Amino acid sequence: INSSNFVCILGITYLDHAGSALFPESLLKAFTDDLRNNVYGNPHSQNISSKLTYDTIEHVRYRILQHFHTTAEDYTIIFTSGCTAALKMIAESFPWIPEGTKQPSSRFCYLTDSHTSVVGMRGITASMNVLSVPITPQEVLLAENRLPAEEQNCTTPHLFSYPAQSNFSGTKYPLSWIQDIKSGKLCPIKAPGKWFVLLDAASYVSSSPLDLGVHQADFIPISFYKIFGFPTGLGALLVNNRIAPLLRKTYFGGGTAAAYLAGEDFYFPRKSIAERFEDGTVSFLDIIALKHGFDVLEKLTGGMEKIKQHTFALAHYTYTVLSNLKYANGAPVVHIYSNTDFSSPDVQGPIINFNVLDENGEVLGFSQVDKMASLHNIHVRTGCFCNTGACQMHLDISNEDIQRNLQAGHVCGDDIDLVDGRPTGSVRISFGYMSSFEDAQTFLNFIIATRLSKSDTEIPFKPVTKLTTESVADDLPSVNNADKLSPILQISDGDLRSNLSAAKTSANWQPLETEAKSIRAAVSETAVPTCRKGGKPITVANIYLYPIKSCSAFEVTEWPVGNQGLLYDRNWMVVNQNGVCMTQKQEPRLCLINPSIDLKQKIMVIQAEGMDSISVSLEDNTEKEAVAGESKVCSHRVKTYDCGERIAGWFSMFLGRPCRLIRQSSDMKSKSHQKNTKGLSSAKNISLSLVNEAQYLLINVASILQLKEHISARLEKPLEIEELIQRFRANIVVSAPESFEEEEWAEISIGALQFQVVGPCSRCQIICIDQQSGERNKEILQSLSAARGRKTNFGIYLMNQPLHSSFSDVLSVGSQVLPVLKENTEIQPPTSGEEKCSG
């Protein structure tokens, strides 16, 4: 595939195709050319443009049916907003028979290896007094007893749902189950009645052909962005016409009624099933885009069968190399979660799910792997992938573990990857039709490079031995023979059964000894703090504020302290044309912008090389003609106002992209961006500026020096201590005798100021950016992770609630720091799902 069709990912290794496909440039061009050359009106009207829209939509319906090898005689296409909406529609309209009637009641049975949106259907069935029954893949394989003839004659409708392909592991479940269950040969559970089958095909159809002429499921929900990448927010429910007349519907929206009365309870639906269920005007322009999606897909790839073979070949190669990577002691580098041996595309899709291990078999948290991958411009997916059932099955997580993890602060989608040393999720890579052999190689080289780093063997904490690769089978494709990959196609459904029954997991979970505290909690109120005894005095060495979030530091020797931290610290931020906050993660050149505060003239002066300096008033312009708005900082809503066209033009010119400077609105600071932090001034809300996590970030020079030793071993040119301090973007730099002793502090006093320690700072990719040049060096984060025992914590967050609202409190360099020690010296990791960087 010509790389010019995917210009947006040049230099990027995109391995989250199971999350979303990428759209080619030719699809957008064909679609926009279509819109330029035609007028498409509302399909519910009768004029010429509307008739064109209606006819085009009907053509797209036939095109979808053709893609799945079926016809309008057998299936109806109902457009939805996505697969999830289609599943909800099924749950609401299926002809359930509730408990408590004379007739045997219905059952909703679903495979435990199902997406959240499938499992969520049980909320609707429960409200209808219908019992839901989860069933494991192994239980389905064992349930081959045919019902007695008298029970088969029962007409009670039951629904069985299973995925054609697991979005967690890529396991392909037998499509033969469809006919076996519908015929009564295979009974998911013992219940008299007639079984219908819901085949969740969202993951499967993104890379495999589905023949509904052979495998006639009753309901097939899909999302089109999984196939084409564009449009998003559009899916469909393919309904078998034999079940369609039985579906029930209570609500009726625009376009669904043949006739109704506003003053009386009279409604007569349209005859067409599609028109009856498509409430309101469908997303007709997005539907028209599908036509071009099918055209371009066929032109670029030659069809779904070729996509299936291509993507599987990449997955097979990657799996084979990855599964054979070993440390010198023979321990595997990764644990792969799979029910198959990747020998056939008929039982395995192009998805590899795994966790990285150290040489002792301990799991490296998926969040750390994700951060490392980002440094190599590799995009992966981490967590449980909206499939808790599969996550529990493969990682051996019990129901009690899930509940305890929730109490410990872990929720779906956050970056808490380990609880009590046990993984809460994993890493997933997946290939699409635009993936290349170079993508697979880049990923494998990343795994080898990060586990083979030179300094790993020189770290006294946990020495990491070198990697070795076992000799692989003779039929393993070599790099030079990548184009000749020939997958083996002889694996049958029976082989899948044996694979499923032999599936093993490596994790052995133990209950938490104590319920973990909330991360936002500081030290327990019942703990008895201990003052630090003896030793050299600790002093403040440096003070930095960052007036513009993610821009350069402004160093001072003394500075006023306000209600949100250092006065004017992170009061401004740069946003893109969509109003989204820009950080050095996306735009490293932000570090080359140097703001400074002049308290006497009440201005902020902004400078950058090659640009004339520009100034911004420190006075609040909320009351003036400034444009107000809302923004988000690490999921926190903040009120802001725009600093004007002159400033926006300056930033846009320097960064070479449209952007604007906005400022937090002073009248909303105390209301819109707060942290409810236990242990601080009777648990009052603490007001924050545009920081990610806390008012202050503190680091220790002694800790920097120890880290410098490990980093220097990996670099050709050693880093200066000042450069490292700048990379960690702290507000307060202290000089303490012992490295990392700051992690044992519960609170500190600096002069008259009292600070509470609220947790460690888990570092992100920003520390890899040279704050003087904007250049990246991924060794920094990797060295930190290795030196800290697979974690990336460095520095501590502080909160301070001034006793009064004036700015009379001042923080000064040279002031003595008096810490109070925690009784429990282990600092809990943050509960928030956001990366804690010091932007």
Side-chain angles (χ1 to χ4, degrees):
I1 293 177
N2 195 324
S3 60
S4 64
N5 240 319
F6 297 94
V7 176
C8 62
I9 57 167
L10 291 178
I12 293 174
T13 303
Y14 182 82
L15 296 176
D16 189 24
H17 293 278
S20 176
L22 298 176
F23 58 82
E25 297 277 340
S26 51
L27 191 164
L28 287 188
K29 185 179 187 305
F31 177 48
T32 53
D33 287 348
D34 188 345
L35 297 186
R36 290 190 188 98
N37 297 326
N38 296 285
V39 178
Y40 293 106
N42 190 311
H44 292 164
S45 299
Q46 295 297 318
N47 58 59
I48 296 175
S49 59
S50 298
K51 187 66 167 60
L52 175 63
T53 303
Y54 177 85
D55 290 342
T56 307
I57 290 174
E58 294 309 299
H59 171 75
V60 173
R61 290 189 206 272
Y62 290 123
R63 187 66 181 272
I64 295 170
L65 292 170
Q66 181 184 28
H67 181 78
F68 293 113
H69 305 281
T70 188
T71 66
E73 282 69 41
D74 292 325
Y75 284 91
T76 295
I77 303 289
I78 301 173
F79 287 112
T80 66
S81 64
C83 183
T84 295
L87 291 165
K88 185 170 180 283
M89 181 184 293
I90 298 168
E92 292 172 336
S93 60
F94 189 80
W96 308 105
I97 296 177
E99 298 278 346
T101 63
K102 294 181 179 180
Q103 192 174 348
S105 57
S106 297
R107 294 289 184 268
F108 170 50
C109 186
Y110 59 89
L111 205 68
T112 51
D113 185 359
S114 288
H115 193 277
T116 302
S117 298
V118 171
V119 180
M121 294 172 66
R122 72 187 185 198
I124 295 175
T125 60
S127 69
M128 297 179 176
N129 202 20
V130 173
L131 185 64
S132 297
V133 183
I135 184 171
T136 67
Q138 289 81 3
E139 289 171 332
V140 175
L141 294 170
L142 296 174
E144 296 193 21
N145 296 323
R146 184 183 292 272
L147 282 174
E150 61 274 14
E151 292 188 4
Q152 289 186 37
N153 295 329
C154 177
T155 58
T156 295
H158 307 295
L159 183 63
F160 175 67
S161 174
Y162 78 100
Q165 174 177 291
S166 169
N167 73 310
F168 182 94
S169 64
T171 297
K172 290 183 178 179
Y173 291 102
L175 295 177
S176 59
W177 284 2
I178 298 171
Q179 184 56 36
D180 288 347
I181 290 173
K182 290 171 66 173
S183 67
K185 177 182 177 182
L186 188 62
C187 302
I189 58 173
K190 295 294 184 181
K194 189 174 183 61
W195 283 95
F196 295 89
V197 177
L198 189 173
L199 183 72
D200 178 6
S203 178
Y204 182 91
V205 299
S206 65
S207 58
S208 298
L210 177 61
D211 190 340
L212 294 181
V214 177
H215 307 291
Q216 296 190 348
D218 298 292
F219 304 99
I220 305 96
I222 58 174
S223 288
F224 290 107
Y225 75 93
K226 299 277 190 180
I227 307 173
F228 308 122
F230 176 86
T232 58
L234 180 65
L237 175 62
L238 283 72
V239 183
N240 194 309
N241 288 337
R242 75 183 186 94
I243 181 70
L246 304 179
L247 299 181
R248 303 165 181 170
K249 189 168 183 284
T250 52
Y251 174 81
F252 59 95
T256 64
Y260 76 96
L261 293 174
E264 294 183 21
D265 188 12
F266 172 77
Y267 161 73
F268 195 83
R270 286 186 177 271
K271 184 177 181 181
S272 163
I273 293 295
E275 291 179 321
R276 190 184 304 176
F277 278 86
E278 290 171 350
D279 291 304
T281 302
V282 295
S283 300
F284 55 90
L285 294 182
D286 287 335
I287 293 172
I288 291 168
L290 294 181
K291 173 200 176 295
H292 302 289
F294 284 115
D295 290 342
V296 170
L297 191 72
E298 182 68 30
K299 182 178 180 181
L300 291 179
T301 68
M304 294 304 300
E305 181 60 34
K306 291 185 178 180
I307 292 175
K308 172 184 172 182
Q309 299 295 334
H310 169 73
T311 56
F312 176 76
L314 295 176
H316 173 262
Y317 168 76
T318 306
Y319 168 84
T320 306
V321 175
L322 198 61
S323 60
N324 281 277
L325 287 178
K326 307 287 184 184
Y327 290 101
N329 64 0
V333 173
V334 300
H335 178 89
I336 298 176
Y337 305 109
S338 176
N339 301 119
T340 76
D341 59 0
F342 280 73
S343 56
S344 167
D346 293 332
V347 296
Q348 178 64 48
I351 294 173
I352 304 174
N353 197 306
F354 64 96
N355 266 318
V356 178
L357 310 175
D358 66 15
E359 76 286 359
N360 297 318
E362 297 293 325
V363 172
L364 276 70
F366 61 74
S367 178
Q368 305 306 320
V369 176
D370 190 19
K371 290 177 184 179
M372 297 296 182
S374 296
L375 293 176
H376 292 256
N377 285 328
I378 299 173
H379 296 192
V380 300
R381 180 81 176 265
T382 59
C384 271
F385 323 103
C386 293
N387 191 333
T388 298
C391 197
Q392 285 187 260
M393 177 175 67
H394 286 285
L395 275 67
D396 196 21
I397 304 175
S398 69
N399 295 344
E400 293 74 22
D401 290 328
I402 294 286
Q403 294 167 351
R404 274 192 292 268
N405 290 348
L406 177 63
Q407 292 173 339
H410 169 57
V411 296
C412 292
D414 68 16
D415 63 355
I416 298 179
D417 45 22
L418 299 172
V419 174
D420 197 31
R422 309 297 182 183
T424 62
S426 54
V427 183
R428 185 186 73 184
I429 63 170
S430 50
F431 297 98
Y433 74 85
M434 69 293 298
S435 299
S436 66
F437 183 70
E438 287 70 25
D439 293 333
Q441 276 190 309
T442 299
F443 168 74
L444 291 168
N445 287 335
F446 153 69
I447 293 292
I448 293 171
T450 54
R451 304 311 301 150
L452 254 178
S453 59
K454 178 182 176 183
S455 64
D456 282 348
T457 61
E458 303 167 1
I459 296 170
F461 302 97
K462 277 191 176 181
V464 179
T465 53
K466 291 186 177 181
L467 277 174
T468 60
T469 306
E470 285 187 348
S471 58
V472 295
D474 293 337
D475 61 350
L476 174 64
S478 68
V479 173
N480 295 330
N481 293 330
D483 296 332
K484 301 177 183 179
L485 294 177
S486 179
I488 303 169
L489 303 175
Q490 286 79 30
I491 302 301
S492 65
D493 287 346
D495 294 311
L496 173 64
R497 296 177 185 181
S498 61
N499 281 327
L500 284 169
S501 62
K504 296 180 180 178
T505 54
S506 64
N508 183 19
W509 281 68
Q510 298 293 330
L512 293 170
E513 293 182 1
T514 59
E515 180 179 313
K517 296 177 183 177
S518 169
I519 306 256
R520 297 319 315 143
V523 182
S524 170
E525 296 175 2
T526 60
V528 179
T530 305
C531 293
R532 179 178 177 270
K533 297 178 181 179
K536 296 180 181 179
I538 303 171
T539 58
V540 176
N542 305 88
I543 300 172
Y544 299 98
L545 61 147
Y546 306 83
I548 305 176
K549 184 178 177 65
S550 244
C551 290
S552 181
F554 175 46
E555 185 173 6
V556 295
T557 55
E558 63 176 20
W559 199 254
V561 171
N563 288 329
Q564 294 183 308
L566 292 172
L567 188 59
Y568 300 119
D569 182 44
R570 294 177 176 90
N571 269 204
W572 293 263
M573 67 181 178
V574 183
V575 297
N576 65 15
Q577 68 269 32
N578 297 321
V580 177
C581 174
M582 294 169 58
T583 71
Q584 291 183 30
K585 290 181 187 178
Q586 303 87 25
E587 184 50 78
R589 296 183 76 243
L590 282 169
C591 70
L592 304 180
I593 297 173
N594 302 292
S596 59
I597 302 292
D598 189 325
L599 292 177
K600 291 183 179 179
Q601 297 190 46
K602 297 183 178 180
I603 60 172
M604 174 175 66
V605 179
I606 308 171
Q607 298 174 304
E609 186 175 351
M611 302 287 292
D612 293 333
S613 62
I614 193 168
S615 63
V616 178
S617 173
L618 297 183
E619 294 182 352
D620 198 313
N621 291 328
T622 308
E623 306 273 330
K624 300 179 182 179
E625 297 181 358
V627 179
E630 286 192 3
S631 300
K632 274 196 171 184
V633 179
C634 283
S635 78
H636 309 299
R637 184 175 63 87
V638 293
K639 289 285 186 180
T640 59
Y641 65 86
D642 192 282
C643 293
E645 295 298 331
R646 181 177 65 96
I647 305 296
W650 191 95
F651 277 88
S652 299
M653 179 176 293
F654 180 74
L655 295 175
R657 57 191 296 185
C659 55
R660 308 189 71 83
L661 184 69
I662 63 174
R663 184 181 185 183
Q664 187 178 17
S665 179
S666 61
D667 61 331
M668 291 299 294
K669 285 177 182 176
S670 62
K671 298 178 182 179
S672 63
H673 191 190
Q674 298 174 333
K675 290 280 181 178
N676 194 348
T677 307
K678 286 176 61 179
L680 288 179
S681 299
S682 303
K684 290 182 180 179
N685 283 337
I686 303 299
S687 179
L688 300 182
S689 60
L690 300 177
V691 295
N692 288 0
E693 188 64 18
Q695 293 172 335
Y696 303 87
L697 176 59
L698 178 148
I699 62 174
N700 178 5
V701 174
S703 304
I704 288 279
L705 287 170
Q706 182 169 343
L707 179 64
K708 180 177 180 292
E709 296 178 11
H710 301 297
I711 295 177
S712 298
R714 304 173 69 130
L715 300 177
E716 295 180 3
K717 181 181 178 182
L719 295 175
E720 297 296 330
I721 185 73
E722 292 79 10
E723 182 182 343
L724 265 181
I725 289 174
Q726 291 174 1
R727 286 175 182 262
F728 285 100
R729 297 178 63 80
N731 296 110
I732 304 171
V733 181
V734 300
S735 180
E738 301 295 331
S739 60
F740 300 107
E741 69 169 277
E742 65 274 15
E743 295 182 353
E744 299 178 6
W745 300 345
E747 55 188 71
I748 64 172
S749 299
I750 304 177
L753 295 169
Q754 302 288 325
F755 299 90
Q756 187 95 44
V757 177
V758 293
C761 177
S762 178
R763 295 298 181 162
C764 68
Q765 305 95 303
I766 288 182
I767 67 170
C768 297
I769 299 171
D770 184 335
Q771 296 298 299
Q772 296 300 314
S773 67
E775 296 178 355
R776 297 179 188 268
N777 187 328
K778 51 182 173 283
E779 291 292 343
I780 308 297
L781 187 62
Q782 292 173 189
S783 295
L784 176 61
S785 176
R788 299 306 322 271
R790 299 180 290 120
K791 293 183 179 180
T792 56
N793 293 347
F794 196 91
I796 55 174
Y797 286 122
L798 305 176
M799 288 288 200
N800 161 251
Q801 189 158 15
L803 299 178
H804 42 270
S805 60
S806 69
F807 296 123
S808 59
D809 291 328
V810 174
L811 194 64
S812 303
V813 170
S815 298
Q816 188 168 355
V817 180
L818 300 175
V820 175
L821 302 183
K822 292 183 297 184
E823 188 173 77
N824 175 11
T825 58
E826 181 181 357
I827 297 178
Q828 297 291 333
T831 55
S832 169
E834 303 291 338
E835 286 182 352
K836 306 303 179 295
C837 55
S838 53

